[in-house]
Amino acid sequence: MKLRFEGDVTHVMPGIQLLLDELNVTIGEDGFPVKVESSVDGELQIGRDQSQAYIRYGRKHQFFRGLGLLIQHSRKSDSFHLQENQQFDQIGPMFDLSRNAVLTVDSFKLMLNKMALMGMNSVMLYMEDTYQIEGEPYFGYMRGRYTQAELKEIDDYADQFGIEAFPSIQTLAHLEEFLKWEPIRHYRDTKGALLVGSEQTDSLIERMIETASAPFRSNKIHIGMDEAEELGRGKYLDNNGYVSRFDIMIDHLDRVLAVVRERGLKPMMWSDMFLKLASGGGGDAAYYDKETAIPEEMARRIPKDVDMVYWDYSHQEPEDYEKLIANHRPLGCNLVFAGAVWIFNTFGVNYGLSLNASDVALQVCKQEGIREVYATMWGDDGNEGNPFAALLGLQLYAEHAYSEQKPSQAQLAERVKFCTGIDMDTFLQLKDLDEIPGQEPNNAKQSNPSKFLLYQDVLLGLFDKQIEGLDLSNHYAELEQSIREKRDSSAELDYLFEMPEKLCTVLKRKSEIGIALKQAYDRQDTDTLKQMAKNVLPAISSAVQELRIAHRTQWHRMFKPFGWEVIDIRYGGVITRLDTASFRILEFTEGRINRIEELEQERLVFSTTNRDNHKGVGWCSHYYRMASPNAFYHVLNPF
């Protein structure tokens, strides 16, 4: 399709040029005329007839959504008119760039192209220690940290689409990867929390804020401060004696905000610590306590010039969000909402939970007048997943942002196909890596069998009791075939599905092999055991090697190399333990040992999260707990 733009397109032309190839569009004097105008009331209006088209928009980013809609609808009709009102002032994703998977600049640009077509106008870069600070060589050391030039390049690229990029950092807790280094122990209160009240820490935070904000046009900065339950309970306690966590928190927040105000920045922070302290408890249960009331004295002392970000990733009833939003109101701060697309702690995407929770949360946000929303994509425990697999979830956020009502499934499907080149049904298959037989509807309990069934040891079978009788071999065989059939080699993002397909190849063989080994051993079926040792386990090992290679290719295509070594080591562990299992079984079947102690152990339920009590089929947050019940480390004083 060839277009000719009429009107002032000077400030959007750089962005248009970046999207031409993606849209399969050219520009020329003999192109179809498109009249570009400002929209007086800020509405986005797009339409065409047989002689000309038009795009009327209020804000820069809206033009690119409008351009996409024009191309999309022109492919099926030569006459149409569309009108949209943006429901949120700011809408966009938060990319977790701190848990090993740091997007390359080129990958970030590709993501920004997709976001532009969706009509998003914000992107938050979550960086705990993955940005360089002059004079702090251990900050982000060997972690793929961004240079100032790289962050500026990302910001410059985003700005061409009217997308506001800004940093999200940590100025209190969640700094384990920096604080682990012995040479900077003077900054450490506990394993993950800074030693607040220290002049050295104050200087560090000042440089954090200065360095993180400098490459960006935006004056926004997210200062973190979430999940700091350990605050004041380490070296701070030794130095100062007991001080209430609220008093410590407020004093520290005042210090951080002084730095932020001096630089003319607009801060936001996670809200959870204040609600947890108000409830008198700790952990997420306290944060989501519907009976929490913010005392007047607490509310009075909380600064009002910091936006509070209410994060909620899993509730699926409007009443839950309405009540928890009401709990925040006494804080007296502007309220921002952060939901999630669940790529955390899995090889897939929990779309069942993500799409349902997001639909409900975003409708409530519209009703409650919340004008700024973000979709977080955390990479907990090493980040086996990736944000590109979450594009369907981001598309849902975008469609909500331009519709008063919940977008229809047909609308979502059509838009995600246009913006990403991938069918919605193809994306949805990623949920079935975890949404297995025996699961709660839509995987509401966040079970992650795609991960623990890969990493669990076949001789120890830690999760075997969780999955007995579920016929997972058949489930993963059918899913493997389905993924293969729905792939489209002509799509730019088709490569995303190579690794999930290979994972199914592994899990159709490995998911239930521990159960089969235990059963054969219990009945002393040496012929079956020998056949497993010589044929079945080596075949699984070969499939794991192919999965590893597919995963490695994907990782190095989208992320910096740092962090891949963690996943590489995990695959190596699976392969070497399969080899040891074969060795142990052959030792037994050939009479060199008289028993296999690992297979004599009774299999127990891994946790209280299991289908017997309607809590899914299991959840585990940490690789080292999936791989072994024994200690990977035990350090009382690492220094």
Side-chain angles (χ1 to χ4, degrees):
M1 186 176 186
K2 181 178 283 189
L3 302 177
R4 182 181 79 249
F5 293 102
E6 299 176 350
D8 184 6
V9 293
T10 306
H11 71 304
V12 295
M13 185 54 70
I16 294 173
Q17 295 288 349
L18 293 172
L19 294 175
L20 290 178
D21 288 343
E22 192 139 342
L23 294 172
N24 194 25
V25 168
T26 58
I27 299 175
E29 287 300 316
D30 58 341
F32 190 80
V34 180
K35 191 172 184 179
V36 179
E37 301 174 314
S38 295
S39 173
V40 176
D41 54 8
E43 284 186 340
L44 175 60
Q45 301 174 4
I46 315 100
R48 66 165 287 175
D49 56 29
Q50 293 183 354
S51 61
Q52 69 173 359
Y54 62 89
I55 301 174
R56 303 185 187 114
Y57 67 100
R59 297 164 66 187
K60 184 177 180 179
H61 70 279
Q62 293 175 344
F63 170 84
F64 296 100
R65 178 175 171 89
L67 177 61
L69 287 168
L70 176 63
I71 304 302
Q72 175 187 332
H73 286 271
S74 292
R75 290 175 179 172
K76 59 182 182 180
S77 174
D78 59 7
S79 180
F80 57 87
H81 171 77
L82 305 171
Q83 181 174 310
E84 295 182 334
N85 284 304
Q86 190 168 338
Q87 304 297 303
F88 302 114
D89 296 329
Q90 299 294 125
I91 177 81
M94 183 223 76
F95 296 123
D96 184 350
L97 306 166
S98 297
R99 290 175 172 85
N100 297 356
V102 179
L103 285 166
T104 66
V105 173
D106 285 343
S107 286
F108 217 119
K109 290 178 178 179
L110 177 60
M111 183 65 78
L112 289 166
N113 288 352
K114 308 302 183 188
M115 290 171 52
L117 294 176
M118 292 178 184
M120 291 185 164
N121 64 347
S122 287
V123 60
M124 193 190 310
L125 287 74
Y126 179 74
M127 303 176 291
E128 292 173 356
D129 66 331
T130 48
Y131 56 101
Q132 286 184 330
I133 298 179
E134 187 175 351
E136 293 292 344
Y138 286 96
F139 197 83
Y141 175 56
M142 292 288 186
R143 296 254 295 136
R145 61 193 173 195
Y146 287 119
T147 65
Q148 292 278 290
E150 287 175 320
L151 291 174
K152 186 177 187 305
E153 187 175 354
I154 290 170
D155 185 64
D156 287 344
Y157 196 89
D159 183 65
Q160 293 176 92
F161 300 123
I163 297 173
E164 181 181 19
F166 65 97
S168 174
I169 65 174
Q170 287 290 357
T171 58
L172 180 55
H174 279 304
L175 287 166
E176 290 88 349
E177 298 310 316
F178 171 53
L179 295 175
K180 68 175 180 276
W181 298 107
E182 187 273 337
I184 53 85
R185 62 187 180 277
H186 49 280
Y187 293 131
R188 185 174 57 243
D189 178 14
T190 63
K191 181 178 73 170
L194 290 169
L195 180 61
V196 302
S198 153
E199 290 184 7
Q200 290 176 305
T201 299
D202 288 347
S203 173
L204 172 67
I205 290 173
E206 187 169 355
R207 285 177 286 136
M208 281 179 172
I209 292 168
E210 179 65 33
T211 303
S213 62
F216 297 96
R217 291 169 172 78
S218 174
N219 69 342
K220 285 186 178 180
I221 187 168
H222 196 310
I223 57 174
M225 297 200 179
D226 60 312
E227 298 181 322
E229 282 84 2
E230 63 203 277
L231 174 65
R233 292 179 171 179
K235 191 184 298 183
Y236 183 96
L237 182 63
D238 295 338
N239 294 346
N240 301 282
Y242 174 77
V243 180
S244 80
R245 283 186 294 165
F246 179 72
D247 288 339
I248 301 173
M249 186 94 182
I250 287 295
D251 179 68
H252 182 64
L253 178 58
D254 285 340
R255 291 168 183 253
V256 173
L257 290 182
V259 176
V260 169
R261 293 172 187 133
E262 184 180 344
R263 285 157 178 77
L265 299 174
K266 176 59 179 163
M268 62 176 68
M269 65 178 287
W270 306 111
S271 66
D272 57 288
M273 282 305 296
F274 288 127
L275 274 81
K276 290 172 184 176
L277 292 171
S279 74
D284 293 351
Y287 183 42
Y288 294 129
D289 184 351
K290 296 175 189 175
E291 305 309 315
T292 295
I294 302 293
E296 183 178 343
E297 172 64 15
M298 176 182 284
R300 184 181 61 79
R301 294 179 61 189
I302 293 172
K304 305 302 181 240
D305 59 344
V306 54
D307 291 351
M308 290 290 166
V309 184
Y310 156 46
W311 53 269
D312 195 330
Y313 309 145
S314 58
H315 284 106
Q316 298 186 69
E317 297 298 332
E319 296 78 12
D320 293 327
Y321 292 101
E322 291 165 359
K323 181 59 179 173
L324 291 165
I325 288 171
N327 287 354
H328 282 78
R329 296 299 190 191
L331 293 172
C333 304
N334 180 53
L335 191 59
V336 176
F337 177 75
V341 185
W342 277 82
I343 62 170
F344 359 149
N345 243 312
T346 175
F347 281 79
V349 184
N350 188 345
Y351 272 126
L353 175 58
S354 298
L355 299 182
N356 282 290
S358 297
D359 263 335
V360 175
L362 295 174
Q363 281 302 104
V364 173
C365 284
K366 295 173 196 177
Q367 297 162 14
E368 294 288 333
I370 293 177
R371 302 296 302 176
E372 190 169 350
V373 298
Y374 296 93
T376 65
M377 288 169 286
W378 298 103
D380 297 14
D381 191 48
N383 217 327
E384 282 91 355
N386 72 83
F388 286 95
L391 282 168
L392 173 61
L394 295 188
Q395 191 77 58
L396 180 66
Y397 268 71
E399 299 318 301
H400 264 285
Y402 291 88
S403 173
E404 291 184 15
Q405 305 302 319
K406 170 184 171 180
S408 70
Q409 289 292 292
Q411 176 188 349
L412 179 61
E414 186 176 357
R415 286 292 292 153
V416 78
K417 174 66 172 179
F418 176 80
C419 293
T420 72
I422 302 295
D423 287 326
M424 183 166 80
D425 286 346
T426 305
F427 276 118
L428 286 175
Q429 291 177 111
L430 297 175
K431 73 183 177 62
D432 294 324
L433 290 168
D434 296 308
E435 198 171 309
I436 62 175
Q439 191 64 271
E440 290 293 288
N442 294 316
N443 198 3
K445 305 300 183 183
Q446 308 110 49
S447 295
N448 59 339
S450 67
K451 185 165 174 172
F452 64 66
L453 292 176
L454 173 65
Y455 290 145
Q456 80 159 339
D457 190 281
V458 296
L459 282 180
L460 303 176
L462 293 182
F463 294 86
D464 285 350
K465 196 71 176 176
Q466 310 272 139
I467 62 162
E468 283 181 339
L470 296 182
D471 194 14
L472 297 190
S473 294
N474 186 59
H475 170 80
Y476 284 114
E478 290 180 350
L479 182 57
E480 174 192 32
Q481 183 65 25
S482 178
I483 292 174
R484 184 180 298 125
E485 290 173 352
K486 290 183 178 178
R487 291 185 60 179
D488 178 2
S489 60
S490 67
E492 178 185 28
L493 295 178
D494 179 68
Y495 77 94
L496 295 174
F497 301 92
E498 179 73 11
M499 189 265 283
E501 182 183 330
K502 297 292 187 187
L503 178 59
C504 289
T505 305
V506 171
L507 293 182
K508 74 180 181 182
R509 296 184 172 102
K510 184 178 185 292
S511 58
E512 297 176 300
I513 191 64
I515 296 172
L517 283 172
K518 173 68 170 162
Q519 290 173 344
Y521 181 80
D522 286 347
R523 64 177 183 265
Q524 294 295 287
D525 184 348
T526 56
D527 288 341
T528 297
L529 288 171
K530 185 177 293 187
Q531 191 268 339
M532 288 180 172
K534 288 187 173 182
N535 299 313
V536 178
L537 296 182
I540 295 173
S541 182
S542 295
V544 174
Q545 282 281 24
E546 291 187 19
L547 168 61
R548 170 183 163 271
I549 291 168
H551 197 168
R552 183 178 64 188
T553 300
Q554 176 181 283
W555 182 285
H556 289 280
R557 185 165 177 171
M558 63 178 70
F559 301 128
K560 294 189 177 188
F562 303 97
W564 169 251
E565 73 281 357
V566 171
I567 310 298
D568 227 2
I569 290 166
R570 292 177 182 181
Y571 280 123
V574 174
I575 291 165
T576 55
R577 286 299 296 165
L578 285 165
D579 178 67
T580 293
S582 291
F583 164 76
R584 294 278 291 152
I585 293 167
L586 290 175
E587 286 278 279
F588 172 71
T589 59
E590 294 172 5
R592 288 183 291 277
I593 59 175
N594 59 14
R595 60 179 181 151
I596 303 174
E597 292 182 72
E598 302 95 317
L599 293 178
E600 293 197 347
Q601 294 287 308
E602 179 187 0
R603 276 22 182 178
L604 303 177
V605 170
F606 182 84
S607 74
T608 56
T609 303
N610 61 75
R611 70 185 195 275
D612 294 328
N613 55 18
H614 305 292
K615 292 187 177 180
V617 295
W619 167 264
C620 185
S621 299
H622 304 290
Y623 158 77
Y624 68 89
R625 291 300 182 210
M626 300 173 190
S628 171
N630 292 297
F632 269 54
Y633 59 85
H634 180 69
V635 181
L636 292 177
N637 184 354
F639 307 118

